[in-house]
Structure formats: C-alpha cells, structure tokens
Amino acid sequence: MPERVHERGPEQGEGVEPGHERNGLLRAFGLAEVYNPSMVPTLQPGDQLVVQYGAAVRPGDVVVLRHPFRQDLLIVKRAVQRRDGGWWVQGDNPFVENDSREFGVVPDELVIARARMRVRPPRGIQRSVTGVLSWAVSAVRPVRAERSLSRRLRAR
C-alpha cells in the first residue's frame, strides 16, 4: 500500500500551494492527516498535522511533499540533509523505505509544507474533564527537529 497523506487547507478541504496564500497568515496554515507508518514512532497513522505552507525547511524538520514518482500523492518525511537539487528525506521508521533511499533527492518545488504541530486523535479517553485534559496534554505536541531520530543519527 503506497504511503499517503490527506491534506486539507483552511477553506472547505482545499489545499493551498506555497506562494498562493491569500488572506494573510491564516491561509499559510492547513491540516494533513497521516495514513501510513513511515514516521513511527514520531507520528502514528491517524495523527493530524498542522502544517505551514512555504515555510523555510531545515535539517530535521518534518515536511509534507509530493512523491517524486507520483506527484498526486502527498507523503510525510523528515528532511535529513540539503543536497544539490533538493532534500534527502527519510521516514523515522527504519522498516519502511519509501523515501530518498528509494527515489533519491526530492526537488525543492515538491516540498510543499513544514509540520508545526501534531494532534493525536482521542482514542478511548474518558469523557471527564480529567480524561480530556490528560488527552490534551499528551496529544498536542509541537513537531521539533531537535527531538528527531535523524539528528541523533547524524551526530554519530
């Protein structure tokens, strides 16, 4: 099963391409849903990502990009290293190789957004104030490069 991400822009399920933001800052953000396990343990299938379109990418960032061989397919990967012509991207799950190890460097124009925050959907939470607060504390997290597996691997 190919990896995919469902992308929703801020208006009625519409995606927003970088450079086409209208109405200011709000149009620069959107949602993406993770469907496959290539970013486990960082991201789980079903996680929602708050993404920023056209944001500067640094090594270690989690990004949404168009698959180089199937540009209608959106995927989530970690930008590991800047190389000539684009980005070397990899998933955090070492058992899934649908990344630059398979398709090489990804051109800059195919990297469309940077993940800013992960929201894990509620699964089996208690319907109490304490249950909801407990879920909120663990479910909503920023997606940071410094906590990444890629950074630890590059340091070795």
Side-chain angles (χ1 to χ4, degrees):
M1 179 174 172
E3 182 181 20
R4 63 191 172 102
V5 169
H6 179 72
E7 176 187 38
R8 291 190 308 261
E11 286 185 11
Q12 302 167 359
E14 168 184 289
V16 180
E17 294 294 323
H20 290 54
E21 294 90 3
R22 290 170 286 193
N23 302 333
L25 187 61
L26 180 60
R27 292 291 298 180
F29 289 89
L31 292 175
E33 182 176 349
V34 178
Y35 281 94
N36 295 86
S38 74
M39 289 298 292
V40 169
T42 306
L43 302 172
Q44 303 288 329
D47 284 354
Q48 299 282 324
L49 297 175
V50 175
V51 298
Q52 183 179 9
Y53 297 97
V57 176
R58 297 180 313 234
D61 288 343
V62 175
V63 295
V64 175
L65 57 124
R66 295 191 186 284
H67 193 287
F69 299 152
R70 286 190 50 204
Q71 293 184 14
D72 61 327
L73 181 67
L74 296 176
I75 59 177
V76 175
K77 299 294 176 194
R78 190 170 302 279
V80 176
Q81 184 180 47
R82 180 85 179 115
R83 295 196 178 172
D84 289 339
W87 285 95
W88 185 267
V89 297
Q90 282 186 241
D92 288 355
N93 185 341
F95 301 109
V96 178
E97 292 189 6
N98 185 18
D99 53 27
S100 287
R101 294 172 288 178
E102 179 182 311
F103 49 70
V105 174
V106 177
D108 291 319
E109 61 269 12
L110 296 183
V111 178
I112 62 171
R114 177 178 166 194
R116 293 296 189 172
M117 186 164 297
R118 182 243 336 160
V119 179
R120 192 151 286 155
R123 294 183 190 123
I125 65 168
Q126 296 178 2
R127 296 181 186 245
S128 66
V129 173
T130 306
V132 171
L133 288 174
S134 175
W135 165 79
V137 167
S138 67
V140 179
R141 299 280 168 109
V143 181
R144 295 188 183 144
E146 58 268 10
R147 293 175 48 187
S148 76
L149 176 63
S150 300
R151 181 166 277 194
R152 288 192 304 265
L153 291 175
R154 282 195 315 272
R156 292 182 182 180

